[in-house]
Amino acid sequence: MSSSFGKGSHLHLIDGSAFIFRAYHALPPLTRKSDGLPIGAVSGFCNMIYRYVEDNAGPDAPTHVAVIFDKGSHTFRNDLYDLYKANRDEMPEDLRPQIPLTRRATEAFNIACKEMENYEADDIIATLACQARDAGGRVTIISSDKDLMQLVGDGVEMLDAMKNRRIDRDGVFEKFGVWPDQVVDVQALAGDSVDNVPGAPGIGVKTAALLINEFGSLEDLLDRADEIKQPKRRQTLIDKREQIELSKRLVQLDCDTPLDFTLDDLEVRDPDPEALMPFLAEMEFRTLTKRIADKLGVEPPVIEDTPAPEPEDSAEEIAFDPANYVCVRDTETLDAWIAQIRERGYVAVDTETTGLNEMTAGLVGISLAVEPGHACYVPLAHRDGAADDLFGSDALAEGQMAMEDALALLKPVLEDDAILKIGQNIKYDAKIFRRHGVDVAPIDDTMLLSYAMYGGLHGHGMDALSERYLSHTPIPIKPLLGSGKSAITFDKVGIDEATAYAAEDADITLRLWQTFKPRLHREKVTTVYETLERPLVPVLAEMEMHGIKVDREVLSRMSNAFAQKMAGLEAEIHELAGEEFNVGSPKQLGEILFDKMSLPGGKRGKTGAYSTPADVLEDLATEHELPGRVLDWRQLSKLKSTYTDALQTHINGDTGRVHTSYSITGANTGRLASTDPNLQNIPVRTDEGRRIREAFVAEPGNVLVSLDYSQIELRILAHIAGIDALKQAFSDGLDIHAMTASEMFDVPLDEMTPEVRRRAKAINFGVIYGISGFGLARNLRIPRGEAQGFIDRYFERFPGIRAYMDDTIAFAKENGYVQTLFGRRIHTPEINAKGPHAGFAKRAAINAPIQGTAADVIRRAMVRMPAAIDGLPARMLLQVHDELLFEVAEDAVDDTIAAARAVMEGAADPAVKLDVDLVADAGQGANWAEAH
DNA sequence: GACATCACG
DNA sequence: GACGTACGTGATGTCC
């Protein structure tokens, strides 16, 4: 039976994606009975595969067959042309979770299933077809995709499975008016709106075929374009030559895709009932299971007819019991666990380390869980506490695998495309592993699943999720590590205790995943999770690990200067106060100001102490010299303690760079939060503060490049609330605050004063924040009635805002959440509360879709950015809500800006068509102060 | 550990 | 008619 591919062989290549989409659109949205998982497309796909197998059992049966899939949406063609396929709609919500199931279905039918990163299915098909043809065999491509027609000829044919019609050279000529080897030339001219291939404007397939037939080839046509009689057509071909040549490169299939398999691997295999039956039963395809069981002559498996209990109930079935957890101390045991992981195809992973900072913490142990209650801990670097040991207390404890050996065994699993690694905040563990040379992928994250489904309802830490969704209180870490001065690191914890704690974490993570994963599509946030949460993990991990260079000398010098100035101010302040006191103590300051000096306006906070925030001191500055001095002192104190001093302690000894950590679930709206250190609040608003940014520098030969969205929230407001005047102003490129001022206060644009503009700007921001008369009055320091007048006028001049606010609050009250343009849900549990809470909740509800949509937009840009700047000597370093900061080799600055800007400005596409353009402004310089 | 303050978008 | 209010964050220092 086994012989190598050659003359007499017949290869069938099935366009898997076409099957999936046809199945999806042909069938109603079926769901699996037991848990509601959408399986309509999988069902249709299986039926089509089965019918295919049935239909091809005859004398003309293929000897080799493969189903080819697309992998990911980014391919090398996007590097040629970033708008390639850019107008494709995103995958329907309920189709997305079915995609991996169609791979499993193919394998269950024992048919080779192939896909490749960075290449389209069409390229793999082309390569295989060329190889088979060259080997003297026949090829049938089962697809009706016209892009594949260029391959027809010399024993290669297409089969339109739908119409059961074979397409040979004549068929291609019928469709394109040229022979297959000229199809790409026609396509290059005609373009393709579906794939967004530009082509030559005004030239369709008919004209293109005419021209190609006349000139023989695209190259001759373009070289001799001046011979064309029609002036417009001639001009188009001359002007758009580059675009046409690009189009050809886009439609030309790659016959040299570097495949990691050969034709011989595709030999037809008989279905294996042992694999196929369990899969069909798992999908609960009753009819198909029975039909195929009959055909194969096996007993059909029993498919339960009762809906499964709710996941909440099932997750509790197996009790948590530390006695079940295994401590893995040798290779044989670890191998056994790895075998189980490979069998399942997924594993929950957790790392234990000596600290919370992924860049400095040492790996202590790894825990794994494969099913509820079935978890293990692999201790790797636990240390004895024995003080009289010859090596001090640093000796490794007995009975641990060598870290190197354990990682060598786990690396292939952690990096295996076919094994899903599940974590709770897996970015942390992925970074730890990365420092040991292991790239963890693909991943799922229970924290992100929770955030996508329940953002705004509760926190997403493991303890909280375990309590809430598993009704289980995890073993607390406190008793193990102690607290305060006597606290120890995890490597000093005894291995038995550590096993109970660590394995349980993996166990909990696995159970949370089993609880959450099936709910994702029911909550209709699969796309949010798949496009805005999960893909961000590797992107952020990369940025964080790369870090940004910070010049310690610059900070140190500034710190000294600040200290001197502060000392001077402190002496002055004490002099003015007539006594020495702690200027940093608001309590003491309040007593000096309001009791001793009897200045007006002393208000007490909730602790009974006087309140002395900046705006109060600013008002008092007209009465006395002291408050002004205190304000100066406070500014310096802030800059010194939070920035020039603290930042130095965050410079990593190994890298000389500062590595922040982004929290994906930190902000309710979808924004990121930056910690340890927070690099999203580095000063910029005052000249003195901005100088801190001079310490953020590029490596020699590089520059920092910053791109930030211009007025993104106001643009989104204009779109969401449908404010025509705002949209128009943006499209005209006007100064948006000046335009608002002009509209509101009837001042012509050319007579605008900074003061009037400032007021309008405050109102614009106020609207985004869920404006109130009181808030605006305080911000602008004007009487409340006047502020209310501004707001009323604003609503009058920009109708749409009011409706947006009312509708948003009504929606929140009705549904308990609001959502962004990309479907992110932000829950608003307080929206129906009584009392002052309600006001907060309403304003937050008004703000969330705007801030959240902006956050989604930059997330989309970040996810696409690595591919867009791939090949350029450029790295993305930081995100500051509407800004991305890059470090770029000097000679690649322009290319990087162009690529990054295209990604940022197009980030909403194709999911959302905004009425307002997004604009990103760019800057560059040796340091962040210059770049911003 | 709560609170006040202030840095950013 | 009175609530007390701009939205979203994180870090630091004081004070109990």
Side-chain angles (χ1 to χ4, degrees):
Chain A
M1 172 89 186
S2 188
S3 62
S4 63
F5 193 97
K7 208 162 168 57
S9 299
H10 185 182
L11 171 66
H12 274 197
L13 295 168
I14 298 171
D15 181 351
S17 302
F19 265 38
I20 295 173
F21 280 95
R22 193 181 302 153
Y24 176 76
H25 291 296
L27 290 170
L30 307 173
T31 54
R32 184 160 68 183
K33 194 167 183 181
S34 64
D35 65 355
L37 180 78
I39 37 93
V42 185
S43 168
F45 182 87
C46 287
N47 275 293
M48 289 164 76
I49 291 285
Y50 179 61
R51 210 179 72 194
Y52 162 81
V53 172
E54 289 279 271
D55 289 352
N56 288 283
D60 196 30
T63 57
H64 296 71
V65 62
V67 183
I68 316 294
F69 292 98
D70 291 311
K71 179 166 191 176
S73 57
H74 183 274
T75 70
F76 69 90
R77 289 189 179 79
N78 297 101
D79 298 331
L80 293 173
Y81 182 54
D82 54 14
L83 295 177
Y84 180 67
K85 292 200 174 178
N87 54 4
R88 281 280 167 95
D89 281 335
E90 269 174 49
M91 192 175 286
E93 186 80 16
D94 57 334
L95 177 54
R96 198 177 285 278
Q98 303 188 63
I99 300 300
L101 294 175
T102 59
R103 311 291 196 270
R104 281 185 57 202
T106 309
E107 281 159 4
F109 275 96
N110 213 5
I111 298 174
C113 167
K114 299 294 175 189
E115 57 190 341
M116 271 192 72
E117 199 82 57
N118 211 27
Y119 288 92
E120 292 185 49
D122 287 358
D123 296 308
I124 303 175
I125 291 173
T127 304
L128 290 170
C130 292
Q131 289 179 2
R133 188 191 57 205
D134 294 347
R138 279 178 64 203
V139 180
T140 301
I141 299 168
I142 292 132
S143 172
S144 51
D145 187 344
K146 59 184 179 348
D147 295 340
L148 291 165
M149 291 190 178
Q150 58 184 275
L151 302 170
V152 169
D154 290 337
V156 180
E157 289 186 352
M158 287 177 67
L159 175 67
D160 185 337
M162 202 60 174
K163 298 171 187 151
N164 201 19
R165 197 172 68 97
R166 291 193 86 85
I167 301 163
D168 53 12
R169 284 174 55 84
D170 292 336
V172 173
F173 194 91
E174 206 175 294
K175 167 92 185 169
F176 278 103
V178 295
W179 299 109
D181 53 353
Q182 292 165 317
V183 162
V184 285
D185 290 353
V186 169
Q187 286 185 294
L189 285 169
D192 183 355
S193 60
V194 179
D195 291 348
N196 210 28
V197 173
I203 295 180
V205 171
K206 289 234 170 70
T207 313
L210 210 70
L211 289 167
I212 293 301
N213 281 323
E214 185 181 340
F215 287 83
S217 75
L218 182 66
E219 288 66 33
D220 288 341
L221 168 66
L222 292 174
D223 287 341
R224 293 161 52 203
D226 51 351
E227 298 172 22
I228 291 170
K229 298 180 192 73
Q230 300 87 337
K232 198 169 167 206
R233 192 175 293 172
R234 179 173 64 230
Q235 206 53 43
T236 299
L237 290 170
I238 293 168
D239 292 349
K240 301 288 176 182
R241 178 170 187 143
E242 218 167 285
Q243 181 175 314
I244 295 164
E245 286 169 341
L246 169 69
S247 298
K248 179 161 177 176
R249 289 203 298 279
L250 291 175
V251 296
Q252 177 87 57
L253 295 179
D254 183 357
C255 275
D256 296 310
T257 306
L259 303 177
D260 56 4
F261 59 93
T262 67
L263 286 172
D264 295 334
D265 297 331
L266 310 182
E267 199 163 10
V268 168
R269 297 174 298 226
D270 287 331
D272 173 13
E274 300 274 304
L276 184 52
M277 286 298 130
F279 175 78
L280 295 173
E282 182 191 335
M283 293 296 110
E284 298 169 18
F285 299 150
R286 291 174 176 75
T287 317
L288 191 62
T289 306
K290 186 161 183 313
R291 189 187 305 159
I292 297 179
D294 286 350
K295 185 83 186 170
L296 296 176
V298 296
E299 192 63 27
V302 178
I303 299 172
E304 292 294 331
D305 210 24
T306 48
E310 284 297 301
E312 290 96 312
D313 306 329
S314 62
E316 287 174 51
E317 277 170 15
I318 296 143
F320 282 91
D321 182 0
N324 289 339
Y325 299 143
V326 174
C327 183
V328 176
R329 295 174 182 273
D330 54 66
T331 305
E332 293 69 35
T333 317
L334 185 54
D335 273 334
W337 278 89
I338 288 173
Q340 291 184 58
I341 293 167
R342 291 202 170 279
E343 198 178 304
R344 296 271 183 325
Y346 56 81
V347 59
V349 185
D350 186 36
T351 56
E352 300 304 332
T353 61
T354 55
L356 290 173
N357 185 322
E358 314 92 307
M359 286 303 292
T360 53
L363 179 60
V364 177
I366 300 166
S367 36
L368 308 165
V370 290
E371 64 181 55
H374 197 50
C376 70
Y377 178 60
V378 191
L380 296 171
H382 284 262
R383 288 169 193 283
D384 283 326
D388 54 351
D389 192 284
L390 189 62
F391 304 99
S393 56
D394 277 332
L396 279 176
E398 293 285 318
Q400 300 182 87
M401 289 185 68
M403 187 177 291
E404 220 179 299
D405 297 345
L407 287 172
L409 287 177
L410 285 169
K411 181 178 161 82
V413 174
L414 295 173
E415 297 187 346
D416 192 328
D417 273 354
I419 299 171
L420 184 66
K421 272 67 67 176
I422 301 152
Q424 162 71 14
N425 187 20
I426 202 167
K427 175 159 67 69
Y428 181 91
D429 309 279
K431 286 169 73 178
I432 296 288
F433 278 120
R434 178 79 85 82
R435 285 178 42 221
H436 289 88
V438 177
D439 286 317
V440 179
I443 56 105
D444 241 346
D445 192 326
T446 47
M447 184 178 79
L448 301 184
L449 287 166
S450 173
Y451 185 60
M453 292 191 290
Y454 309 120
L457 283 183
H458 52 70
H460 310 286
M462 194 179 70
D463 290 2
L465 296 180
S466 179
E467 297 271 8
R468 186 178 285 264
Y469 295 100
L470 305 176
S471 308
H472 171 72
T473 308
I475 300 169
I477 187 75
K478 260 282 184 55
L480 269 58
L481 301 183
S483 65
K485 249 187 135 187
S486 60
I488 56 170
T489 45
F490 200 84
D491 54 334
K492 305 290 200 315
V493 174
I495 290 181
D496 291 343
E497 278 182 300
T499 299
Y501 170 83
E504 191 197 65
D505 274 4
D507 188 9
I508 290 170
T509 302
L510 185 83
R511 295 181 197 228
L512 285 172
W513 181 73
Q514 291 191 339
T515 306
F516 287 160
K517 202 64 201 265
R519 293 185 187 187
L520 198 59
H521 70 272
R522 273 185 262 156
E523 301 290 345
K524 305 198 192 314
V525 287
T526 307
T527 303
V528 169
Y529 177 73
E530 293 291 347
T531 62
L532 301 173
E533 318 287 358
R534 181 155 77 162
L536 207 55
V537 171
V539 176
L540 290 177
E542 176 79 24
M543 292 166 69
E544 294 168 13
M545 294 201 73
H546 196 67
I548 182 166
K549 187 175 182 184
V550 171
D551 188 332
R552 184 190 298 276
E553 284 306 306
V554 172
L555 291 178
S556 178
R557 275 200 301 274
M558 291 179 78
S559 211
N560 291 335
F562 290 151
Q564 281 205 349
K565 279 199 192 175
M566 282 170 69
L569 282 167
E570 200 169 332
E572 271 189 72
I573 289 164
H574 291 164
E575 179 75 31
L576 287 163
E579 65 178 288
E580 299 211 345
F581 70 101
N582 185 345
V583 183
S585 165
K587 183 166 173 276
Q588 293 179 32
L589 174 67
E591 282 159 12
I592 300 274
L593 290 172
F594 300 114
D595 288 342
K596 184 169 181 184
M597 296 166 56
S598 304
L599 291 172
K603 272 200 267 188
R604 293 180 188 273
K606 65 175 89 173
T607 50
Y610 286 114
S611 171
T612 64
D615 55 343
V616 170
L617 296 188
E618 277 164 26
D619 288 342
L620 289 177
T622 55
E623 307 268 334
H624 197 279
E625 277 189 54
L626 193 147
R629 295 287 189 280
V630 172
L631 283 170
D632 291 343
W633 182 91
R634 277 190 182 170
Q635 196 201 359
L636 295 174
S637 166
K638 180 81 175 182
L639 294 177
K640 182 172 187 297
S641 67
T642 310
Y643 300 105
T644 57
D645 288 350
L647 222 39
Q648 293 186 55
T649 71
H650 281 101
I651 298 175
N652 185 294
D654 296 331
T655 65
R657 299 170 76 95
V658 171
H659 306 265
T660 185
S661 179
Y662 288 102
S663 164
I664 307 179
T665 61
N668 272 339
T669 52
R671 275 194 178 180
L672 301 179
S674 161
T675 62
D676 309 304
N678 182 353
L679 294 185
Q680 291 183 319
N681 69 347
I682 303 302
V684 71
R685 290 174 186 171
T686 65
D687 289 337
E688 201 147 32
R690 186 158 52 234
R691 296 206 50 200
I692 304 231
R693 295 186 174 220
E694 294 173 8
F696 290 77
V697 296
E699 293 286 349
N702 290 261
V703 288
L704 295 182
V705 167
S706 160
L707 285 98
D708 67 304
Y709 282 113
S710 162
Q711 307 288 3
I712 187 168
E713 292 195 352
L714 275 175
R715 287 172 195 265
I716 286 166
L717 173 72
H719 172 92
I720 293 183
I723 318 293
D724 289 334
L726 271 183
K727 290 185 203 171
Q728 189 61 46
F730 278 122
S731 107
D732 293 345
L734 296 184
D735 173 338
I736 205 69
H737 301 309
M739 185 289 272
T740 307
S742 169
E743 190 73 27
M744 284 202 38
F745 304 111
D746 293 322
V747 181
L749 275 179
D750 49 15
E751 293 171 26
M752 188 56 54
T753 66
E755 176 53 26
V756 175
R757 184 180 178 279
R758 189 180 74 86
R759 292 185 166 204
K761 184 176 174 179
I763 300 166
N764 275 331
F765 279 107
V767 169
I768 291 172
Y769 297 153
I771 201 161
S772 76
F774 186 92
L776 184 64
R778 208 180 63 162
N779 188 281
L780 286 177
R781 310 219 185 166
I782 56 176
R784 194 175 157 175
E786 197 179 337
Q788 190 56 54
F790 286 174
I791 293 169
D792 293 343
R793 194 168 173 80
Y794 193 97
F795 286 154
E796 235 173 73
R797 291 295 166 107
F798 302 102
I801 297 275
R802 166 116 273 162
Y804 164 72
M805 292 183 164
D806 293 346
D807 293 350
T808 302
I809 287 166
F811 185 92
K813 285 185 170 171
E814 167 96 19
N815 299 289
Y817 64 86
V818 293
Q819 55 190 355
T820 67
L821 288 180
F822 299 92
R824 174 186 300 286
R825 293 184 178 181
I826 298 114
H827 289 87
T828 55
E830 300 277 274
I831 196 79
N832 289 314
K834 296 273 175 284
H837 279 104
F840 278 114
K842 281 181 187 173
R843 290 191 298 273
I846 289 166
N847 175 256
I850 302 166
Q851 187 180 117
T853 297
D856 291 349
V857 165
I858 198 163
R859 280 185 185 222
R860 291 168 65 90
M862 292 172 74
V863 165
R864 294 175 183 176
M865 197 62 75
I869 61 174
D870 186 37
L872 289 169
R875 302 291 288 260
M876 183 160 59
L877 305 184
L878 299 179
Q879 187 250 43
V880 191
H881 309 307
D882 63 358
E883 172 188 7
L884 293 174
L885 188 72
F886 300 82
E887 186 171 17
V888 188
E890 277 165 6
D891 56 6
V893 168
D894 292 343
D895 288 347
T896 302
I897 290 176
R901 175 177 274 146
V903 170
M904 289 176 74
E905 296 187 344
D909 306 326
V912 169
K913 176 81 195 85
L914 290 174
D915 297 341
V916 185
D917 286 341
L918 293 177
V919 172
D921 298 324
Q924 55 171 299
N927 61 59
W928 199 3
E930 290 176 23
H932 184 76

